[in-house]
Amino acid sequence: MGYSDAGKRVSVLWEVIWMRAKVAQISCGTEYSGVQPVLKEMAERAGIELLYPEMTLEEIDAACEEVGFRARSPSLNMMIAKAVSAMKDPTIKGAILLTCFKCSEGAIVRDLVRRYMQEHRGEIPIITYSNVEKPKEAEIFARFDALSTIITKKSLLMRQRQEGTTVGIDSGSSMTKVVVMHENEIASSVWLPTTDPLESAEKALESALSDACMKRSEIDAIGVTGYGRDIIADAIRADLNIEEVSIVAKGAAVLADAHRGNATVIDIGGMSNKLLLMRDGIVNSFSLGGICGGSSGRFLEVVSHRLDVDVEGLGELALRSTQKFELQSYCMVFGIQSLVVALASGIRREDVAAAACRSVAEQVYENQMREMTIKPPVIFVGGVSLVKGVKKEFEEIIGSEIIVPHHSQFAGAVGIATIASGV
Amino acid sequence: MKVLVYPPNSLILADLVERFGHEPVVLMREIGEHVRDPEIDAPPLNVTEADIKRSLKYVSVEEPAGLKGRIGLLAPLLEEAEASIIMTDAPPTYGCMGCAVADELFKYLIRNKKIPTLEVRYEGGDRMEEVVMRIKEFLERLHAYERR
C-alpha cells in the first residue's frame, strides 16, 4: 500500500468518524430492561454515536429545580439532569428519550424533558421511544436511521427544487410508487401493489418511463426510499438511497410548496404512519407509529372490503354520514368485530364508514399528535390521504384545515426524486 | 447469617453487616456475576431475558420492562436472605434503587418473607450514630437468633 492509499484510507476513516451523528441517550435505566445492547447495535448500524450525558449528584437537584419537576424515582431525576447536561453540550446533535412502556411516572418525565429540550434547543431533532423487554429492532433502526439522515445529510435535504430529469422510487409496505420528474414537474407517476419489492419496483419503473415516453438513458439520477430500498438500490444501481422519514417530509414540502417556516406532515401508508414536524422544508422532529395496525391503511382496506367499496369509496361513503357512531376498539380485529355488530344491528353503512375513518384519525392523534406541538400548515400525505373521510375527521379533531396536495400518495417518490437531482 | 441490605448497593450497610460477623447479601455481587459471565453478551449490566422471566414470579407480566429487570436481578438476593436491614429515605449517594415502584415492591417482598428485619430511617449528621447503634444491636441479636 502506497502513501497515497494510506492517506486516502485515513481520510475516509476520518470522514466516517466525523460523520457519525452524536446523539444523547437520555433514559432512566434502559440497562435494566435489557434493551441497551439492541440500542447500541442499531445506533452503530445507523452511523450514530450514542453519548451518555454526565452530571454530578449536586447537579441533579439543580436540574430538577430548573425543569420544575421532581420525580419519586431517583433514576428519573437523573434523566432530567442528563437532559439539562445534554443541552449544554454543543457537540450533541440529536437526542433519544427512553422510558419503559407502561411506566406512568416515566411517561410524565419523558414528556417534560422533551418539552424542556425543544424550548432550549429547538434545532436538534428529538425522538422518543417506550422500551419493552423485547424491542423491535426494525422500529429502533428506523428511528435512528432517520435521526442520522436529519443530522448528517442536512445540506442535501435543503434542496427545494427538482432539476433535470430524475426518478423517485418509494417501495412501500403495501404499494410501490414511482415518479418521473422533469424540472420540478411530475412527468409520470405509477403506483402498484408491492408483492416482491424488486419486481414491483422494476415493473413500476418501466411503466412510469413508458408513460413519460422516456428511456432509462435519459434519466440523470434515480433515488430510492421506503422499506425495500436497499435491495432495489443495489439491483438497479440507484444514485441515492435514503430512509423515508426525511424524504416524505421533503416530498410533502415540494408538493405543498411549504419550503419556508414551520409545517406538520401526517403520513399514513398501508402499514405504518408518521407524524413529522418540519422547519424550512426539513424534518426536525418526528414520531413513528408501530404499536397498532389499527391506525394504518390496512385497517381501512379491511373495513372497505367488509362494506364492499374500494378504499377511496370508503372515504366518499363516510362523508355522507349523518349519525355519529363509535367503534368500540381501535384494534384491527376487535374494531372490525364492533363494525360487524353495528351493521347487524342496523347502523347505516355511511355511519360505520365514518366511524372507521374517525378511529384511524383518533388513534394517530392520541398516540402521536398529542405528544408533539402541531404547527400549521398541516399537510396530509400517503395513500390514506386519498380517503376523504379521514381528512375530514382529522380536521374536526385538530380544528383547522388540512392540505392534501395533488399526488399526495407520491410524497416519498417526489421527495427522493427531488433530492436525487442534487447528487 | 445472610443479611440482605436495602438499598441493595449500600456499601456502608454491607460493611456494617460484615463487621458484626454476618454475610452481606448485596446487589453488587449479583451484577458482578452477570458482568463477568463470558456466556452473556448484553452490556452494560448483562440483564437478559432469563432475568426478566425470573421476575415474573414476583411481578405481573403487565409491569414495565425496567421494573421486571430490576426485580429479576434482586430476586436471587431475596431468595437467599435469612435476615434484612431496610434503610428508608436514604439519599441516592447512600445506595440507590432508581425506580420508585421497584423500590416499593421490593421492600414489600422483603417484609412479606417474614425474616428478621430491621427498618431504620436514614438520619443525617449526629443522629446517624443512633442509627448505627440500632443496626449494631440488631446484628448482635441475630447471633442469638441463629443459636436458637
Side-chain angles (χ1 to χ4, degrees):
Chain A
M1 188 171 68
Y3 279 112
S4 60
D5 287 343
K8 210 180 280 174
R9 275 196 177 190
V10 169
S11 110
V12 168
L13 186 65
W14 175 244
E15 200 178 328
V16 170
I17 294 166
W18 182 250
M19 288 303 286
R20 279 168 74 87
K22 292 190 174 180
V23 170
Q25 182 188 317
I26 297 171
S27 60
C28 62
T30 39
E31 58 273 28
Y32 287 98
S33 46
V35 302
Q36 196 59 39
V38 179
L39 285 177
K40 195 166 171 270
E41 193 190 330
M42 293 302 114
E44 271 169 18
R45 244 175 73 188
I48 279 178
E49 183 185 350
L50 281 180
L51 300 175
Y52 312 100
E54 290 177 358
M55 84 298 299
T56 61
L57 283 167
E58 291 73 35
E59 282 168 336
I60 295 175
D61 283 337
C64 291
E65 284 287 317
E66 191 173 333
V67 174
F69 187 82
R70 189 177 297 274
R72 277 187 61 225
S73 300
S75 291
L76 285 170
N77 292 330
M78 214 182 286
M79 181 176 173
I80 294 171
K82 282 177 193 168
V84 173
S85 167
M87 293 295 87
K88 292 173 188 159
D89 183 348
T91 67
I92 287 174
K93 302 295 180 198
I96 176 164
L97 311 182
L98 292 132
T99 55
C100 290
F101 181 55
K102 294 177 188 169
C103 174
S104 54
E105 194 180 32
I108 292 168
V109 170
R110 197 181 60 193
D111 193 46
L112 288 174
V113 162
R114 182 184 57 78
R115 285 171 200 273
Y116 170 83
M117 292 176 84
Q118 274 174 346
E119 257 172 45
H120 288 78
R121 271 183 74 185
E123 81 283 3
I124 70 164
I126 299 166
I127 54 172
T128 59
Y129 192 71
S130 300
N131 50 286
V132 290
E133 53 265 43
K134 282 186 184 169
K136 293 178 193 159
E137 288 188 5
E139 272 186 8
I140 295 176
F141 179 71
R143 285 160 173 81
F144 277 143
D145 203 15
L147 207 52
S148 176
T149 307
I150 297 165
I151 297 167
T152 61
K153 298 190 172 77
K154 216 163 197 168
S155 56
L156 200 60
L157 296 174
M158 284 166 85
R159 174 165 289 271
Q160 296 181 357
R161 197 185 143 77
Q162 185 274 341
E163 286 167 6
T165 308
T166 57
V167 166
I169 301 174
D170 178 4
S171 173
S173 54
S174 291
M175 303 295 281
T176 298
K177 286 83 69 180
V178 174
V179 293
V180 177
M181 289 188 78
H182 179 70
E183 298 302 337
N184 214 38
E185 295 290 333
I186 296 175
S188 69
S189 57
V190 170
W191 69 330
L192 296 174
T194 305
T195 47
D196 175 87
L198 183 55
E199 271 177 33
S200 302
E202 281 175 338
K203 211 167 145 189
L205 174 60
E206 204 179 300
S207 176
L209 287 172
S210 159
D211 288 355
C213 302
M214 281 183 188
K215 290 181 195 149
R216 176 93 190 250
S217 56
E218 293 173 73
I219 303 299
D220 299 327
I222 298 183
V224 188
T225 189
Y227 291 98
R229 64 193 171 92
D230 289 336
I231 187 172
I232 298 166
D234 282 349
I236 67 166
R237 295 184 181 175
D239 302 278
L240 193 63
N241 167 6
I242 299 184
E243 53 68 41
E244 55 273 24
V245 169
S246 44
I247 292 303
V248 166
K250 177 53 62 184
V254 172
L255 291 171
D257 195 19
H259 297 290
R260 288 271 167 263
N262 294 314
T264 303
V265 179
I266 304 167
D267 171 28
I268 308 184
M271 292 188 193
S272 64
N273 58 58
K274 307 176 190 73
L275 184 74
L276 320 166
L277 298 185
M278 289 197 294
R279 187 176 294 160
D280 295 334
I282 300 175
V283 64
N284 66 350
S285 190
F286 61 89
S287 165
L288 304 184
I291 294 170
C292 176
S295 58
S296 69
R298 181 74 188 125
F299 176 75
L300 295 175
E301 267 178 35
V302 177
V303 173
S304 62
H305 180 70
R306 189 66 187 76
L307 295 177
D308 199 21
V309 284
D310 60 23
V311 180
E312 276 190 64
L314 177 80
E316 300 282 354
L317 196 64
L319 293 181
R320 296 203 294 273
S321 166
T322 52
Q323 290 279 322
K324 195 168 179 181
F325 162 72
E326 298 276 351
L327 293 182
Q328 299 297 302
S329 169
Y330 289 148
C331 171
M332 182 95 87
V333 174
F334 296 114
I336 300 294
Q337 188 187 47
S338 165
L339 179 149
V340 172
V341 171
L343 287 172
S345 65
I347 308 265
R348 293 166 65 236
R349 290 168 75 242
E350 291 84 349
D351 299 332
V352 168
C357 293
R358 196 176 311 118
S359 172
V360 170
E362 272 180 0
Q363 198 178 170
V364 171
Y365 177 75
E366 286 170 16
N367 289 336
Q368 287 162 274
M369 293 170 94
R370 278 178 65 97
E371 71 172 44
M372 298 179 96
T373 312
I374 304 296
K375 292 172 180 167
V378 180
I379 308 160
F380 188 14
V381 297
V384 174
S385 65
L386 301 177
V387 184
K388 288 179 183 164
V390 179
K391 172 183 180 276
K392 178 179 167 270
E393 295 299 335
F394 269 130
E395 285 177 334
E396 277 183 19
I397 291 170
I398 64 173
S400 68
E401 199 193 335
I402 286 179
I403 301 165
V404 178
H406 189 43
H407 288 118
S408 59
Q409 73 273 39
F410 292 102
V414 167
I416 194 73
T418 305
I419 300 297
S421 72
V423 177
Chain B
M1 283 178 88
K2 290 180 174 179
V3 182
L4 170 64
V5 298
Y6 193 88
N9 54 347
S10 168
L11 291 171
I12 295 173
L13 287 180
D15 182 57
L16 280 171
V17 169
E18 214 164 9
R19 276 170 194 256
F20 289 98
H22 297 283
E23 185 187 334
V25 178
V26 287
L27 183 63
M28 290 78 87
R29 198 193 59 201
E30 185 63 25
I31 289 180
E33 279 173 15
H34 271 67
V35 172
R36 285 189 294 272
D37 190 336
E39 298 284 311
I40 315 174
D41 184 22
L45 295 183
N46 274 356
V47 171
T48 62
E49 216 177 315
D51 295 306
I52 287 166
K53 279 187 183 156
R54 186 165 52 191
S55 74
L56 295 177
K57 187 174 167 189
Y58 304 100
V59 299
S60 152
V61 71
E62 291 170 20
E63 294 298 342
L67 171 69
K68 284 185 209 153
R70 286 178 167 96
I71 297 296
L73 272 181
L74 291 167
L77 312 186
L78 183 71
E79 282 152 18
E80 196 183 339
E82 294 166 334
S84 70
I85 301 169
I86 300 173
M87 182 167 283
T88 56
D89 303 321
T93 42
Y94 198 81
C96 174
M97 186 59 196
C99 164
V101 183
D103 177 66
E104 285 300 319
L105 178 66
F106 196 67
K107 281 190 285 197
Y108 162 78
L109 292 173
I110 297 172
R111 289 175 195 128
N112 203 36
K113 195 170 156 77
K114 311 267 191 260
I115 51 176
T117 296
L118 172 72
E119 288 199 42
V120 284
R121 194 169 171 272
Y122 176 84
E123 301 281 359
D126 294 343
R127 298 195 65 189
M128 200 58 198
E129 268 182 41
E130 288 172 33
V131 174
V132 173
M133 286 309 291
R134 284 186 63 195
I135 293 170
K136 175 179 173 280
E137 282 164 19
F138 172 74
L139 290 168
E140 282 170 350
R141 276 206 310 276
L142 282 184
H143 285 298
Y145 180 86
E146 204 176 9
R147 281 195 292 273
R148 270 196 285 153

